[in-house]
Amino acid sequence: MSYAQIPLDRFKDTFSTAIELSSVALGGKVVSVSDEFFAEAFHLLLVEPAPSLKGQFGPKGALFSGWETRRHNPAYDWCIIKLGTTGSISGFDIDTSHFNGNEAPQASVDVLFSADDSAPQVDDPRWEELLPKVNLGPSSRHLFTVPPSKGVNYVKLNMYPDGGIARFRVYGLVAPIFPSATAIEFDLAHVFSGGRVVYTSDQHFGVGSNLILPGRGKDMGDGWETKRSRQPGHKDWAIIKLGDAGYLSQAEIDTAHFMGNFPESCEMHALHTSDLVPSDVPEDRWTLILPRTKLGPHRRHFFQLENVAHAAYTHVKITIYPDGGIKRVRVLGRRAASISAANGDAQAAHPIDAIEADVGSGATSAHHHPDGTPYAFSASSPSASASLDSASVRGAVIPAVPLTPEAFAPFGKVVQAYADPNGVPNPRTTRVTGANQGTATKFHKLALLESSYPAGSGASAGLSVYRCKAIDVLPGGEWEVKLLERHPCTNQAFIPMGGGRGLGESESADVDNGLADPGRAYLVIVAQNGADDKPDLGTMRAFVASGGQGIVYDTGIWHHPMAALYKTMDFTCVETQIGNGDKLDCEVVDLDGAEGYCRVKVPA
């Protein structure tokens, strides 16, 4: 088997666009080992470089961050590793950092593909040598390239005859997970979909390849973080090659764990190109799909993308201003081409559920209702809107994304509590204090009341209650928007009220006035005003709000009347009004459905 040893200074050129298939961050794990007397083999797959533990001792001797076996092995030691996902291997990093005098003198690597859940044994006849026996030195990294293998999901690291290895990294390309039908949307940027981070402007504190990993990580160390900038107008960016060309619809930008160092804002561009690394493509060839938008600390931000209706893209570029850290980037879309028979073999075929079951790995996973239970369906709905008539002309589809303060900012404010006071929007200016003798946390003035009624109009502020029946739509369905309204002289807040059972009342007890089983989510549909003083449907957005989130429509923002999902909900409305039906209170516009009404796509 041919191979080449690569100098350490060529690491970036050789492996920067490859995926570390063995990483514990992808789900790589040690399944069996011949011996680990001095240091356990799980260290091999850790993300962080091996630290020096010089001078530290345990019951069995000096401590090392790595895999170390007993002395005097007459044969060799071995470690069987299951890769995080099936892939084609192109190289290895065998690192003996801090092992000096007890390093493994030589190593080799065998591989195999197993279609079942049972881990292979050391004597499994399917093992094939990929890296022959190579020499290793003390306390150093050893880089090797090999001809790309077929798809494999297990490797066996052999060391001769015994000793220590600090880290073992397996590089290659993922056998992507694709749905069988092109109509299905999924995360095209996800590492399991074949996504790759191919370029970063800076990765001083956290590498760009973390952006497409599964899950939400454990701390700031497994995100992408750039160094502090000191120049006005600075920006950083990362380019992600999607697993395949696709039609995009939504993006998720997750700043989990980044609270004092999240970016001020971000934007996203897309490109269709055959280049693997389009770092030199002129700016004007990139299409803006997410205008510059503020970000908040420690949360997932969901955005509907623009300029994506009629073009397939292969790459996206996420730009952050001026610097900071992002945990994950998800790009939801559908493939432009169907799966060919050539890549439909057992080694490349993976169910789409493998992505959707991973919390945070696809934007669709966030769209499940908060309680995760089946929904009751109400047949009643406002006359203004209705579930989709399959025979009607079909208008634009607006995906309903989870409500976040930053995405909703062009239309109003989100009113909610935060688990961590540092997670509020605008943490430098939002005041958070203790209250009620230490039994409460107060988030001050998340929204202010506004009123611009003419003097003498008789308008006054007050609280009203709306009891809203559920609209006629099922999870995963589409709902036509036939009207919008606005309040030209005031903003308007809606706060969910919850249920009506008292303390100690049983589930079977009658409820006099409150709701025994209230809904827990509702749709928020908004649009900006157009040049013709009518709703600009190109700016229409839809959000799914939870029962723990209130919303405030800014003055003059077009919006749909309240739309409870699946069950009736009560809302307190804070508003200023004259109360006599005057147009200063409310303007309603029936939308033109000649070319089809816009349809809100409700999450499954």
Side-chain angles (χ1 to χ4, degrees):
M1 178 63 66
S2 62
Y3 72 94
Q5 186 160 2
I6 304 299
L8 190 57
D9 60 8
R10 287 185 53 204
F11 174 85
K12 182 177 180 180
D13 294 338
T14 306
F15 294 120
S16 63
T17 62
I19 300 298
E20 188 182 334
L21 299 171
S22 55
S23 173
V24 67
L26 260 67
K29 62 181 179 179
V30 172
V31 296
S32 59
V33 63
S34 62
D35 183 273
E36 50 184 351
F37 182 81
F38 288 111
E40 293 177 278
F42 79 87
H43 292 102
L44 290 170
L45 310 182
L46 295 181
V47 173
E48 61 271 16
S52 172
L53 302 177
K54 186 176 182 179
Q56 300 182 46
F57 289 83
K60 296 179 180 179
L63 299 180
F64 288 87
S65 179
W67 172 42
E68 186 181 5
T69 67
R70 293 174 172 87
R71 297 190 184 213
H72 312 310
N73 191 335
Y76 69 98
D77 281 310
W78 50 266
C79 177
I80 296 177
I81 297 165
K82 184 176 183 181
L83 302 178
T85 186
T86 300
S88 171
I89 296 172
S90 58
F92 305 95
D93 181 353
I94 306 177
D95 183 358
T96 59
S97 290
H98 311 299
F99 286 98
N100 190 340
N102 56 346
E103 76 279 357
Q106 294 179 309
S108 68
V109 181
D110 302 325
V111 300
L112 67 73
F113 175 80
S114 178
D116 55 40
D117 292 331
S118 59
Q121 302 300 308
V122 66
D123 57 354
D124 194 304
R126 295 174 294 173
W127 288 113
E128 298 180 17
E129 185 178 77
L130 186 59
L131 179 69
K133 189 182 293 186
V134 294
N135 294 324
L136 305 178
S139 195
S140 54
R141 292 171 60 187
H142 308 81
L143 307 180
F144 303 96
T145 60
V146 295
S149 72
K150 63 183 181 181
V152 299
N153 56 357
Y154 286 91
V155 298
K156 179 161 66 77
L157 173 63
N158 309 302
M159 65 177 174
Y160 305 90
D162 50 51
I165 296 174
R167 296 290 186 266
F168 176 57
R169 308 194 190 278
V170 180
Y171 293 102
L173 298 181
V174 168
I177 301 169
F178 289 149
S180 57
T182 56
I184 297 175
E185 290 192 337
F186 66 107
D187 181 7
L188 284 159
H190 196 283
V191 63
F192 290 165
S193 302
R196 288 189 274 170
V197 177
V198 296
Y199 182 84
T200 54
S201 63
D202 180 275
Q203 47 185 5
H204 187 83
F205 293 110
V207 298
S209 58
N210 288 334
L211 288 172
I212 58 174
L213 291 179
R216 301 188 69 198
K218 58 185 179 63
D219 53 37
M220 288 189 295
D222 54 14
W224 171 50
E225 186 180 2
T226 68
K227 60 179 173 287
R228 294 189 186 220
S229 61
R230 304 301 183 187
Q231 299 298 320
H234 183 83
K235 61 183 178 181
D236 284 310
W237 64 94
I239 298 176
I240 301 172
K241 183 184 184 301
L242 304 176
D244 200 2
Y247 298 101
L248 314 181
S249 64
Q250 302 174 45
E252 173 190 336
I253 312 296
D254 189 355
T255 57
H257 305 113
F258 291 101
M259 285 190 273
N261 51 352
F262 63 96
E264 180 272 337
S265 58
C266 76
E267 65 186 9
M268 186 176 288
H269 293 78
L271 178 72
H272 191 289
T273 179
S274 59
D275 296 338
L276 173 62
V277 187
S279 57
D280 296 328
V281 172
E283 289 287 335
D284 59 6
R285 280 195 55 199
W286 289 89
T287 299
L288 182 67
I289 59 174
L290 177 65
R292 185 169 173 177
T293 303
K294 282 189 174 294
L295 294 177
H298 190 53
R299 67 172 139 271
R300 300 162 73 182
H301 306 74
F302 300 90
F303 302 104
Q304 177 184 333
L305 298 177
E306 303 178 4
N307 303 317
V308 292
H310 306 294
Y313 295 106
T314 59
H315 293 71
V316 296
K317 178 170 65 173
I318 176 71
T319 303
I320 59 174
Y321 294 90
D323 53 48
I326 289 177
K327 180 56 69 74
R328 300 288 183 263
V329 173
R330 312 295 184 195
V331 182
L332 196 67
R334 54 188 177 86
R335 297 180 68 225
S338 60
I339 298 175
S340 67
N343 64 9
D345 59 272
Q347 294 172 357
H350 298 263
I352 188 62
D353 293 347
I355 288 181
E356 293 185 346
D358 167 58
V359 176
S361 66
T364 53
S365 66
H367 295 175
H368 296 163
H369 195 280
D371 64 4
T373 58
Y375 297 108
F377 172 66
S378 170
S380 62
S381 65
S383 60
S385 302
S387 59
L388 182 66
D389 179 357
S390 59
S392 63
V393 178
R394 297 169 67 84
V397 176
I398 311 296
V401 301
L403 179 68
T404 58
E406 291 73 27
F408 193 64
F411 309 99
K413 306 293 189 296
V414 176
V415 179
Q416 66 175 78
Y418 296 87
D420 190 317
N422 295 308
V424 298
N426 304 312
R428 285 187 177 273
T429 57
T430 301
R431 186 176 176 222
V432 183
T433 64
N436 300 351
Q437 293 74 49
T439 63
T441 301
K442 181 177 180 179
F443 302 88
H444 293 254
K445 296 184 178 180
L446 297 181
L448 300 178
L449 301 181
E450 297 176 358
S451 175
S452 57
Y453 280 90
S457 63
S460 59
L463 302 182
S464 304
V465 173
Y466 286 71
R467 175 158 291 179
C468 301
K469 295 181 179 180
I471 61 174
D472 186 0
V473 67
L474 291 172
E478 295 176 357
W479 194 64
E480 291 182 332
V481 180
K482 295 186 175 180
L483 68 74
L484 293 173
E485 67 180 37
R486 69 176 175 182
H487 307 284
C489 296
T490 183
N491 58 1
Q492 186 183 43
F494 284 90
I495 313 296
M497 293 178 61
R501 291 193 184 281
L503 185 65
E505 288 185 311
S506 68
E507 291 294 322
S508 59
D510 292 333
V511 177
D512 291 335
N513 295 305
L515 296 174
D517 187 21
R520 301 186 183 183
Y522 59 101
L523 277 181
V524 180
I525 303 168
V526 288
Q528 298 284 351
N529 194 40
D532 58 354
D533 202 31
K534 301 294 183 182
D536 179 357
L537 300 186
T539 67
M540 183 181 289
R541 297 292 183 268
F543 303 90
V544 177
S546 75
Q549 294 176 302
I551 52 97
V552 182
Y553 298 115
D554 281 346
T555 301
I557 286 294
W558 293 100
H559 58 275
H560 194 278
M562 299 305 292
L565 287 172
Y566 317 125
K567 296 178 183 178
T568 299
M569 296 183 70
D570 286 346
F571 295 89
T572 294
C573 177
V574 184
E575 60 187 349
T576 302
Q577 61 177 355
I578 302 170
N580 61 359
D582 195 294
K583 282 191 175 183
L584 290 175
D585 279 343
C586 184
E587 297 179 31
V588 179
V589 171
D590 292 314
L591 302 180
D592 182 2
E595 298 182 0
Y597 293 105
C598 291
R599 296 166 290 139
V600 172
K601 175 72 173 178
V602 179

